[in-house]
Amino acid sequence: MNTFEQLADLEERLAATKKKLEHAALIGAYLQSLPSGEIALAARLLIGRVFSEGDPRILNVSGAAIERVVAQTIGTSELARVDGAVDFGDAVEKILRQAGHTRQGAPLTLDEVWHAYEELATLSGPGSRERKDARLRELFERASALEAKYIVKHLIREMRVGVNEGTLLDALARTTGIPGATIRRAYQFTGDVGKVAEAALVQGEQGLGHLEPTLGHPLKPMLAQSAVDIPDAFTQMPLGETALEYKLDGARVQIHKSGDAIRVFSRSLAELTYSLPEIVDEVRREIKARDAIVEGEVIALTPEGRPRPFQDIMRRIGRERDVAEMQREIPVKLYLFDCLYRDGELFIDRPNAARWQALTEVAGGIARVERRVPESVAEGQAFLKQAQDAGHEGVMAKLLASPYLPGERGKHWLKIKPIITLDLVIVAADWGYGRRTGWLSNVHLAARDSETNEWLEVGKTFKGFTDAEFKALTDRLLALKVKETRGTVWVKPQIVAEVAFNNVQTSPQYKSGVALRFARVVRLRDDKPPEETDTVETLKRLLGD
Ligand code: ATP
């Protein structure tokens, strides 16, 4: 078997068992057997990613394109319906088998498949549709039916692909004997399972040591758990040893300064440098260190200096055209809240209090978020009220003694927002009727099952969108279309929606076992990757609330 066929074979075996130890053993043995140049690719594909986190490339291959090319591959003009397929990849496998498809030419290597994906991501402009189809067809012709199933899953990021990051990192630890904590840390520094897998398997523990945070390479951001209110936060964190900060509702940024070279990264490690020139200038001018990594939130402001809605800052984020015009239309302001590095000294293992002190020293004239260490619950409550009166969404509680834990949603940071919302992924939408005829309106919302990595539906809603938003959403959904069944368009799970609701109930209809009551979309979260949305377990914890 060649390396891509082995991957497909492994995925099948993983799907056939739920036993964690078996998963770890199978993944470990496979990764170990690969040539070193293919380890990183395989590790990423196993967690359902073609490109590493922060890599802006996306695979623009639609479900319609795949159907077209599968039909060409088996020499038919229209594909027959298949019964019993659980998803699109499965359907393609069944269609190819029924048509007696066999591979032509040499079996594919991982490297070849990945290069084809890379080409598909870069082809654009006139004639690109034909060239993409031709490239895809080449892939399908050289693939077995089973391999084609996984190619389809990779291309459309099918609901159920491979394993989650935790399982993969665990497999690496078991296979190499390197402590799990060392492997996880390297992952948090790099945000790339591919790099970690390659370093661990090729160079061992020493290799992982080289994956230290470096200027210009964003670290995964530390995240927060939710507390219901201020008293709840102070049952989890001691008074006098906890700082409260305003929780600003903007875009999180991690800023790397190396002399005069400044780079700005988003929460999902994408580069924002070119869309925020005024922030770059301010950092270059103000920061009192040659080299530094600082973190903060960028918000949009009204002329009176009050925060503008989150949607406004999102129009600036990642935008690289007409930047000067947008600067005038939507002025932004940076508020810093953490310092991770300063002139050769890494601060992530230092306590929050020391990092705040370092930030105070380097921030120069740049604003820091409002912060206080309250001595009583009442003082904490007054601080929350002050934050809300100033137009902010709530407060963060941070344990003064806690280190910076990249990528972890732990108990050292809590967020207190008076309105609880969930971040969910849109997996389908129904065609509207009446006033909404012609638009996709009722969106199907899904949460991730963290065990199986499957997207499971938890509710539907058409509430929360204006007409203009329905129109724009319809276009976006159609571009992500995978298939259509009676009135419903199924899409790649890519658009994240923040959803408010009244409560969570058990549901016999949904496979997830839970359903949201009175769900409404608060906004779309284009700054959040689907992998980081709320899980079915989180919903289960909210049951009956
Ligand atoms: P949310 O959807 O509530 O913004 P999230 O999932 O993006 O949350 P969380 O870890 O749950 O991330 O909440 C922390 C987020 O709040 C940060 O990612 C950051 O964007 C924002 N934030 C605003 N003010 C602060 C602050 N003072 N300290 C840390 N994060 C802050």
Side-chain angles (χ1 to χ4, degrees):
M1 273 200 264
N2 217 333
T3 48
F4 191 71
E5 194 175 6
Q6 284 171 357
L7 179 77
D9 183 63
L10 171 68
E11 299 261 22
E12 287 288 287
R13 288 204 265 162
L14 292 173
T17 171
K18 277 199 177 289
K19 294 200 187 106
K20 285 214 150 152
L21 280 181
E22 226 166 283
H23 278 189
L26 287 168
I27 294 169
Y30 169 64
L31 291 177
Q32 240 174 349
S33 74
L34 290 174
S36 56
E38 291 188 337
I39 294 174
L41 307 181
R44 289 186 203 120
L45 288 176
L46 275 169
I47 62 160
R49 270 188 175 282
V50 171
F51 300 114
S52 62
E53 213 172 318
D55 187 328
R57 287 177 294 185
I58 38 171
L59 273 168
N60 244 337
V61 180
S62 66
I66 294 175
E67 280 181 15
R68 196 165 58 232
V69 175
V70 169
Q72 284 171 12
T73 310
I74 57 174
T76 170
S77 57
E78 202 170 329
L79 292 179
R81 292 192 66 83
V82 282
D83 293 327
V86 293
D87 56 33
F88 198 38
D90 194 30
V92 167
E93 181 191 7
K94 288 194 162 69
I95 290 168
L96 291 175
R97 280 196 199 283
Q98 273 169 17
H101 168 80
T102 50
R103 153 197 355 271
Q104 290 164 28
L108 290 159
T109 64
L110 263 172
D111 198 49
E112 286 172 318
V113 175
W114 193 81
H115 275 103
Y117 292 164
E118 202 181 22
E119 254 185 79
L120 289 169
T122 38
L123 282 173
S124 65
S128 61
R129 173 175 149 160
E130 287 70 26
R131 278 184 293 156
K132 271 191 185 176
D133 279 11
R135 195 71 184 90
L136 256 185
R137 180 155 175 194
E138 241 174 85
L139 261 186
F140 283 136
E141 282 173 354
R142 288 209 30 217
S144 68
L146 181 67
E147 289 167 283
K149 166 177 172 176
Y150 286 97
I151 290 173
V152 171
K153 280 173 176 283
H154 296 151
L155 292 178
I156 63 167
R157 295 188 83 175
E158 188 105 60
M159 294 203 193
R160 189 189 169 123
V161 184
V163 294
N164 62 27
E165 288 152 7
T167 308
L168 192 110
L169 298 176
D170 180 48
L172 285 175
R174 285 175 194 279
T175 312
T176 57
I178 300 171
T182 310
I183 297 218
R184 276 196 302 278
R185 196 170 161 90
Y187 172 58
Q188 290 157 352
F189 287 168
T190 57
D192 181 1
V193 290
K195 266 193 204 145
V196 175
E198 188 180 312
L201 287 162
V202 179
Q203 301 160 37
E205 195 161 352
Q206 259 198 337
L208 289 177
H210 296 306
L211 298 182
E212 282 284 297
T214 35
L215 274 176
H217 294 271
L219 285 82
K220 280 175 86 71
M222 178 164 178
L223 299 170
Q225 289 189 7
S226 293
V228 180
D229 50 24
I230 294 283
D232 177 36
F234 285 116
T235 57
Q236 303 187 49
M237 289 182 175
L239 271 167
E241 295 171 36
T242 303
L244 294 184
E245 292 172 1
Y246 281 8
K247 184 175 194 306
L248 311 183
D249 194 12
R252 180 160 183 175
V253 287
Q254 191 180 99
I255 303 171
H256 291 229
K257 174 178 188 293
S258 170
D260 273 345
I262 316 289
R263 293 179 73 184
V264 183
F265 298 98
S266 75
R267 187 187 179 295
S268 47
L269 318 187
E271 177 134 22
L272 304 178
T273 311
Y274 305 103
S275 51
L276 298 169
E278 65 271 60
I279 303 291
V280 169
D281 288 345
E282 189 184 15
V283 166
R284 189 180 291 125
R285 207 175 51 233
E286 296 292 339
I287 291 279
K288 302 279 169 282
R290 186 194 178 278
D291 298 338
I293 302 178
V294 289
E295 264 197 346
E297 192 88 354
V298 175
I299 60 172
L301 292 178
T302 63
E304 297 75 42
R306 301 226 355 138
R308 282 168 58 161
F310 176 79
Q311 284 80 350
D312 289 345
I313 179 69
M314 278 303 116
R315 293 181 52 210
R316 289 284 314 265
I317 292 303
R319 186 184 182 110
E320 295 184 7
R321 279 196 346 224
D322 310 325
V323 173
E325 195 181 307
M326 290 306 281
Q327 267 182 284
R328 280 191 297 278
E329 196 183 320
I330 305 177
V332 297
K333 184 167 160 85
L334 168 66
Y335 288 88
L336 294 173
F337 55 71
D338 221 318
C339 175
L340 312 184
Y341 179 84
R342 181 183 64 185
D343 289 335
E345 203 181 343
L346 193 59
F347 279 99
I348 50 179
D349 291 324
R350 305 279 299 280
N352 176 275
R355 301 201 309 277
W356 182 260
Q357 179 56 37
L359 182 66
T360 310
E361 288 160 18
V362 301
I366 306 177
R368 283 167 300 141
V369 294
E370 271 311 308
R371 171 165 157 131
R372 169 159 326 158
V373 181
E375 292 298 331
S376 67
V377 171
E379 194 186 336
Q381 267 162 331
F383 188 72
L384 171 62
K385 178 156 188 318
Q386 193 184 312
Q388 287 182 284
D389 289 347
H392 301 299
E393 65 170 350
V395 294
M396 302 284 297
K398 298 181 178 177
L399 202 62
L400 289 177
S402 97
Y404 188 93
L405 301 167
E408 274 187 38
R409 195 181 283 287
K411 287 193 176 302
H412 297 93
W413 280 14
L414 297 175
K415 56 179 167 182
I416 301 127
K417 297 198 278 191
I419 302 168
I420 299 188
T421 57
L422 291 168
D423 293 324
L424 300 169
V425 171
I426 299 178
V427 292
D430 304 331
W431 286 110
Y433 46 86
R435 201 171 57 77
R436 296 190 301 274
T437 301
W439 297 336
L440 285 167
S441 59
N442 201 24
V443 294
H444 299 217
L445 302 160
R448 192 167 44 88
D449 180 323
S450 54
E451 287 283 309
T452 61
N453 240 8
E454 212 173 343
W455 297 104
L456 299 179
E457 278 192 57
V458 296
K460 292 183 204 176
T461 188
F462 52 80
K463 297 215 167 71
F465 298 106
T466 62
D467 286 1
E469 284 166 348
F470 273 130
K471 246 192 214 146
L473 183 66
T474 301
D475 291 343
R476 286 184 67 184
L477 288 168
L478 287 177
L480 296 172
K481 175 171 150 180
V482 171
K483 63 174 180 189
E484 188 159 351
T485 54
R486 277 170 287 127
T488 304
V489 171
W490 296 84
V491 296
K492 297 187 206 179
Q494 256 176 33
I495 303 179
V496 177
E498 182 176 346
V499 179
F501 54 94
N502 284 24
N503 57 12
V504 183
Q505 297 181 316
T506 53
S507 159
Q509 274 113 35
Y510 284 137
K511 187 171 166 198
S512 64
V514 283
L516 296 178
R517 260 173 73 77
F518 301 116
R520 52 211 177 264
V521 172
V522 180
R523 60 191 176 189
L524 298 180
R525 289 286 311 258
D526 291 329
D527 61 325
K528 202 167 205 179
E531 297 77 18
E532 288 183 22
T533 49
D534 287 298
T535 57
V536 173
E537 290 78 81
T538 304
L539 267 83
K540 288 195 172 149
R541 277 205 301 276
L542 296 171
L543 261 179
D545 272 4

